[in-house]
């Protein structure tokens, strides 16, 4: 749960996403599109067929979102850069053809001992090389610009969906293939957007080069006549036929040898992501691990996770060895084949040295074009795996988004209270994503200035209720309503401490410069952290430096700066001793006398700081609110639960009235 959540003036009480953030460098607004319809697998498919169908759909799902970069709502520079890249590829092939002609000319001149032509062509070679280098350099710049802007656009879109409506938190509550979303968004999405641009540029370049130089081979090579068993066999365009056959053999060999490349690459990426997550988990929980002396156990877990990485790398290395065998062998043989094929014609005088060298150069270019798959199959496999991983995350977000728009499981509504009530829960029910009830039929109305304590045994659903109030838990029924034009601030048990300076940590979620240093220091002094005043501009790992109690004190300092209208405390003083807890609660009451408080806590000592107490009781069909009493007598409207509880107190001794209208033993 977020440490603090300020709700601006809005009908549904939710916070606009991206407020105050500068747009990405694409300078384009990412259009929010509805998720694609869910596709159920054919029940008649076998498990293997269903898995293949799922993987095909994952690639389709990736392109559903990725291709919008070139559509309405995408980057306005997408098409200009793309067209420019195509033009540069065409110009590059033109320069290649010019160098191919230069090869023929220079070797023919050398064969004729024509010094003047040799000197002239030597001078011509300089602008040819400079032009080629310039075109290739610009082509690389434009290609990488497309990759960078596409990644920026798609990353912004995925992060926007991930952060919307607390989905980044809800992913932890549902099943699906979306583990390590941070690795998918950072690394997998990078590869998923870089590789397609390289592939498309490579395919177009290969097609243009092959088309151009096949004509050159056909024209230069002509037909080859071979005497076989007393007969003569004529092969028209023998160089072209040889190039096609050679490429077919190498490409087929690569496809057969590397058929498991995609699966192995996908497994390797998953293993790497899990290893990074384990390392991050150790760093984030370093204090607890050190205090418990759990280094050896963590080392064993890291060794086990890293062993899986090495295992997957070994499998990937075998695939690379097999594909290298084909690609490197092809690279060594390809330049020799056309020379050997042209040698008979050169020896009989029907082909000049320049034509032989031109044919060798053209053959190498055609072979390179046809052998594009041989050279790029490993990258293609890696892209396939990464695109599937980011698509798996997209599909999980799709499911959450469809659930938000559907009433099949029931959704908790958010709106505005009627009258002066600051917060009301109307028939609020909280359930899991499979429909299992956690909290049922909760009706609470909190008036301005009330300080309400929610109690109950562990597992009764108190924290889940808080998440529902915050809008992080969507499943259930009924509604959570806030007073219009009022702001909510939440303090969880484990306060979030962002990276950066201590001043930023105190001001969070506001900007550090929203308050002066003196105001920050005054807030720290009021919560007993004045000994940190000299360090407010210090950039340090405060999340690791501050103790649990100091973090909770710092969270109370945020209250003094933001001065919200409603505060929700979820075990916000659990790390403090009783004396410090009393000081924090009294400080809030003194500094924010008009604030409305909703506290979730176990400690009975907190009752003295609240005016009202409600109790949740865990039951088989979901926790229910069974008690609502005044700790301090106030004039306020009695809700339905209060009237029921009054009736309970008037029941005969030894029994009490239940919510369902029956009686249960006291």
């Amino acid at each position: 749960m977020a440490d603090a959540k300020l709700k601006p003036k809005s009908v549904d009480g939710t916070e606009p996403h991206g407020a105050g953030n500068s747009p990405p460098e694409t300078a384009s607004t990412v259009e929010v599109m509805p998720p694609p319809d869910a596709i159920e697998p054919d029940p008649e498919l076998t498990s293997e067929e269903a898995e293949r169908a799922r993987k095909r759909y994952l690639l389709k799902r990736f392109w559903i979102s990725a291709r919008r970069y070139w559509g309405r709502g995408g980057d306005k520079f997408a098409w200009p850069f793309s067209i420019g890249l195509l033009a540069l590829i065409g110009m590059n092939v033109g320069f290649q053809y010019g160098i191919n002609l230069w090869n023929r000319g220079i070797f023919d001149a050398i064969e004729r001992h024509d010094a003047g032509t040799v000197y002239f062509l030597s001078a011509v070679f300089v602008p040819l090389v400079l032009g080629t280098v310039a075109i290739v350099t610009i082509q690389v710049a434009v290609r990488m610009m497309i990759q960078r802007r596409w990644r920026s656009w798609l990353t912004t879109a995925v992060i926007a969906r991930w952060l919307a409506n607390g989905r980044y938190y809800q992913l932890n509550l549902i099943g699906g293939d979306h583990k390590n979303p941070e690795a998918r968004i950072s690394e997998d999405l990078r590869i998923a957007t870089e590789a397609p641009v390289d592939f498309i540029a490579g395919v177009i370049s290969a097609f243009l080069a092959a088309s151009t130089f096949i004509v050159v081979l056909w024209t230069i090579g002509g037909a080859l006549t071979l005497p076989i068993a007393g007969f003569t066999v004529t092969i028209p365009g023998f160089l072209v036929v040889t190039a096609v056959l050679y490429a077919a053999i190498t490409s087929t060999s690569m496809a057969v040898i590397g058929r498991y490349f995609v699966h192995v690459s996908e497994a390797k990426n998953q293993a790497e992501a899990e290893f990074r997550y384990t390392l991050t988990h150790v760093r984030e929980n370093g204090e607890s691990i050190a205090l418990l002396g759990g280094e050896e156990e963590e080392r064993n877990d890291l060794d086990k996770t890293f062993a899986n990485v090495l295992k997957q790398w070994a499998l990937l290395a075998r695939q690379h060895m097999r594909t290298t065998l084909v690609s490197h062998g092809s690279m060594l043989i390809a330049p020799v084949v056309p020379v050997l094929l042209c040698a008979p014609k050169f020896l009989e005088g029907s082909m000049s040295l320049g034509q032989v060298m031109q044919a060798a150069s053209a053959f190498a270019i055609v072979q390179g074009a046809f052998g594009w798959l041989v050279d790029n199959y490993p990258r293609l496999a890696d892209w396939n795996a990464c695109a599937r991983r980011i698509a798996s995350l997209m599909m999980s977000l799709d499911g959450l988004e469809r659930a938000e728009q559907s009433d099949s499981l029931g959704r908790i509504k958010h709106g505005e209270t009627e009258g002066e009530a600051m917060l009301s829960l109307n028939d609020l029910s909280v359930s899991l994503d499979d429909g299992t009830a956690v909290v049922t039929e909760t009706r609470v109305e909190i008036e301005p200035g009330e300080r309400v304590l929610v109690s109950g045994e562990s597992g009764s659903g108190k924290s889940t209720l808080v998440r529902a109030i915050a809008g992080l838990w969507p499943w259930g029924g009924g509604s959570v309503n806030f007073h219009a034009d009022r702001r909510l601030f939440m303090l969880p048990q484990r306060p979030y401490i962002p990276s950066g300076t201590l001043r930023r940590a105190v001001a969070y979620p506001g900007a550090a410069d929203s308050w002066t240093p003196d105001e920050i220091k005054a807030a720290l002094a009021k919560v007993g952290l004045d000994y940190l005043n000299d360090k407010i501009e210090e950039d340090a790992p405060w999340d690791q430096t501050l103790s649990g109690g100091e973090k909770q004190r710092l969270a109370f300092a945020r209250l003094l700066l933001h001065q919200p209208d409603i505060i929700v405390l979820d075990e916000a003083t659990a790390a403090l001793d009783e004396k410090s807890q009393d000081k924090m609660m009294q400080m809030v009451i003194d500094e924010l006398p008009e604030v409305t408080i909703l506290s979730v806590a176990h400690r009975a000592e907190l009752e003295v700081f609240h005016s009202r107490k409600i109790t949740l009781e865990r039951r088989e069909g979901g926790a229910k609110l069974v008690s609502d009493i005044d700790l301090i007598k106030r004039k306020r409207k009695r809700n339905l639960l209060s009237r029921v509880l009054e009736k309970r107190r008037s029941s005969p001794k030894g029994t009490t009235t239940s919510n369902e209208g029956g009686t249960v033993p006291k």
Side-chain angles (χ1 to χ4, degrees):
M1 184 186 300
D3 175 61
K5 189 168 185 179
L6 285 172
K7 292 186 180 284
K9 304 173 183 178
S10 62
V11 174
D12 62 357
T14 57
E15 182 180 3
H17 297 288
N21 296 332
S22 58
E25 66 173 316
T26 54
S28 298
T29 302
V30 177
E31 184 177 2
V32 178
M33 303 293 288
D37 295 333
I39 298 180
E40 297 296 333
D42 190 339
E44 297 182 0
L45 295 177
T46 64
S47 58
E48 293 79 7
E49 292 172 338
E51 180 63 15
R52 287 195 295 269
R54 185 188 72 88
K55 290 182 176 180
R56 287 195 299 270
Y57 177 74
L58 285 175
L59 293 181
K60 178 181 178 182
R61 177 61 190 90
F62 170 76
W63 284 115
I64 287 174
S65 293
R67 69 191 181 196
R68 290 174 182 162
Y69 174 72
W70 285 271
R72 179 185 173 189
D75 184 7
K76 63 182 179 180
F77 294 106
W79 279 109
F81 278 125
S82 300
I83 294 172
L85 180 61
L86 294 178
L88 289 167
I89 291 173
M91 295 171 64
N92 186 36
V93 172
F95 272 92
Q96 283 183 311
Y97 179 67
I99 292 176
N100 182 260
L101 292 177
W102 182 90
N103 269 308
R104 175 175 178 172
I106 192 73
F107 282 102
D108 280 342
I110 291 173
E111 186 180 26
R112 297 192 307 267
H113 303 284
D114 185 351
T117 303
V118 170
Y119 295 146
F120 171 75
L121 290 176
S122 298
V124 170
F125 184 70
V126 175
L128 277 175
V129 170
L130 292 177
T132 301
V133 170
I135 292 297
V136 171
T137 302
I138 298 173
Q139 180 180 325
V140 169
V142 173
R143 173 173 54 79
M144 295 187 72
M145 179 69 73
I146 294 174
Q147 292 170 325
R148 182 157 52 94
R149 296 181 71 89
W150 189 18
R151 180 190 179 188
S152 173
W153 182 89
L154 189 56
T155 300
T156 302
V158 173
I159 289 178
R161 296 186 65 210
W162 182 53
L163 294 179
N165 301 328
R167 293 176 195 150
Y168 59 92
Y169 173 77
Q170 295 166 10
L171 286 177
N172 300 320
L173 309 176
I174 64 173
D177 182 16
H178 50 255
K179 291 190 298 184
N180 312 121
E182 63 282 351
R184 297 172 191 253
I185 294 174
S186 61
E187 184 65 15
D188 292 321
L189 198 148
R190 177 187 64 82
I191 296 174
T193 50
E194 285 182 0
V197 179
D198 289 337
F199 294 155
I200 293 173
V203 168
I204 293 174
S205 179
F207 174 77
L208 292 177
S211 302
T212 301
F213 290 99
I214 280 177
V215 175
V216 173
L217 288 177
W218 190 281
T219 303
I220 295 175
L224 178 65
T225 301
L226 298 174
I228 301 177
F231 298 94
T232 58
V233 178
T234 301
I235 305 175
F238 73 99
L239 290 177
V240 176
V241 173
T242 304
V244 172
L245 289 175
Y246 187 86
I249 293 171
T250 54
S251 298
T252 302
S253 301
M254 178 62 73
V256 172
I257 291 175
R259 62 186 180 278
Y260 299 116
F261 222 122
V262 174
H263 173 73
V264 173
S265 183
E266 190 171 9
K268 184 268 297 182
N269 290 344
Q270 179 63 33
E272 291 280 13
E274 291 177 358
F275 182 55
R276 284 195 299 271
Y277 174 78
T278 305
L279 290 170
T280 302
H281 185 72
V282 172
R283 176 179 58 80
E284 291 178 346
N285 296 276
E287 181 180 2
S288 298
I289 295 170
L291 292 174
L292 292 172
E295 292 85 357
E296 188 63 29
E297 180 62 24
E298 294 299 329
R299 176 63 180 270
N300 293 336
D301 189 34
L302 286 170
D303 288 344
K304 180 181 177 181
T305 308
F306 188 58
N308 187 38
V309 173
L310 296 179
K311 176 184 175 182
Q312 298 304 327
W313 263 107
L315 295 175
L316 187 64
R318 294 175 191 172
Q319 292 293 327
H320 273 291
M321 289 169 61
R322 295 170 183 170
T323 54
T324 301
L325 180 67
V326 176
S327 61
H328 194 68
S330 173
M331 181 184 68
L332 294 175
I333 297 172
V336 179
V337 172
V339 175
L340 296 178
L341 291 176
C342 293
K345 286 197 169 189
F346 174 74
L347 295 175
E348 72 181 16
S350 60
M351 183 178 286
S352 67
L353 178 61
Q355 289 176 314
V356 172
M357 300 310 297
Q358 185 183 16
S361 174
F363 186 91
I365 294 173
V366 171
Q367 177 55 36
F370 281 145
W372 181 87
L373 177 63
V374 175
D375 297 329
N376 291 274
Y377 195 87
R379 281 202 67 196
L380 182 61
D382 197 27
W383 170 82
N384 205 318
C386 292
R388 287 175 181 171
R389 279 174 53 78
I390 191 65
S392 296
L393 175 61
M394 290 177 175
M395 286 182 63
S396 295
L397 294 173
D398 292 343
L400 289 174
E401 196 168 342
R402 279 192 293 267
E404 293 167 6
Q405 302 167 3
S406 171
D407 295 327
S408 58
L409 286 177
R411 302 286 298 183
I412 298 173
K413 299 178 181 179
H414 293 263
E416 295 182 359
T417 58
E418 297 179 0
E420 296 300 320
M422 294 293 286
L423 170 64
S424 67
L425 311 180
N426 298 333
D427 295 322
L428 178 65
S429 298
V430 183
S431 61
L432 302 179
D433 63 327
D434 60 0
T436 304
V438 178
V439 180
T440 61
E441 301 176 5
T442 303
R443 291 180 61 86
V444 175
E445 187 173 283
I446 300 175
E447 298 177 4
E450 277 197 298
R451 301 189 296 274
V452 181
L453 177 64
V454 181
S455 64
E457 62 181 342
S458 297
S460 60
K462 301 186 301 299
S463 294
T464 305
L465 182 63
V466 169
R467 296 184 185 108
I469 293 172
L472 296 179
W473 195 289
W475 305 290
S479 63
V480 177
N481 303 308
F482 294 94
H483 192 291
D485 303 329
R486 296 296 186 267
R487 297 182 305 161
L488 170 70
F489 201 95
M490 303 199 66
L491 267 65
Q493 182 175 352
R494 298 178 59 185
Y496 171 66
I497 308 297
S499 60
T501 64
L502 182 63
R503 180 179 177 182
R504 182 189 178 217
V506 180
Y508 192 86
D513 56 2
S514 297
W515 292 273
T516 65
D518 289 340
E519 290 173 323
I520 299 288
K521 292 177 180 179
L524 288 174
K526 289 178 180 178
V527 298
L529 296 178
D530 49 312
Y531 55 87
L532 296 175
N533 280 345
D534 294 336
K535 301 180 179 180
I536 64 170
E537 300 297 346
E538 185 176 327
D539 191 338
W542 295 109
D543 186 53
Q544 304 296 323
T545 304
L546 299 177
S547 68
E550 288 174 323
K551 292 177 184 177
Q552 290 193 338
R553 287 174 177 269
L554 186 146
F556 277 93
R558 292 172 180 169
L559 292 179
L560 302 180
L561 297 178
H562 289 278
Q563 297 188 348
D565 303 294
I566 309 172
I567 302 173
V568 178
L569 307 176
D570 183 11
E571 301 285 359
T573 60
L576 299 175
D577 60 82
E578 185 177 340
K579 184 177 180 181
S580 298
Q581 173 184 266
D582 293 347
K583 287 183 178 180
M584 290 302 100
M585 295 302 298
Q586 190 61 51
M587 181 272 300
V588 172
I589 294 173
D590 294 341
E591 296 292 332
L592 304 171
E594 301 299 323
V595 74
T596 301
I597 299 176
L598 178 64
S599 296
V600 173
H602 288 91
R603 292 180 176 177
E605 298 85 359
L606 286 170
E607 290 186 7
V608 69
F609 300 104
H610 294 80
S611 58
R612 182 178 167 196
K613 177 182 177 181
I614 60 179
T615 304
L616 283 174
E617 183 178 288
R618 183 171 56 188
R619 296 188 177 181
E620 185 175 347
K624 290 192 175 183
L625 209 165
V626 296
S627 174
D628 186 350
I629 61 174
D630 285 332
L631 300 174
I632 298 176
K633 294 300 181 181
R634 301 170 54 88
K635 291 182 179 180
R636 62 180 179 87
K637 293 181 179 180
R638 308 298 292 176
N639 59 26
L640 175 61
L641 179 61
S642 300
R643 294 196 296 271
V644 170
L645 294 172
E646 285 178 354
K647 186 177 179 181
R648 283 187 186 182
R649 289 192 286 270
S650 64
S651 299
K653 186 176 181 180
T655 63
T656 183
T657 305
S658 70
N659 273 355
E660 290 81 359
T663 59
V664 296
K666 289 183 69 175

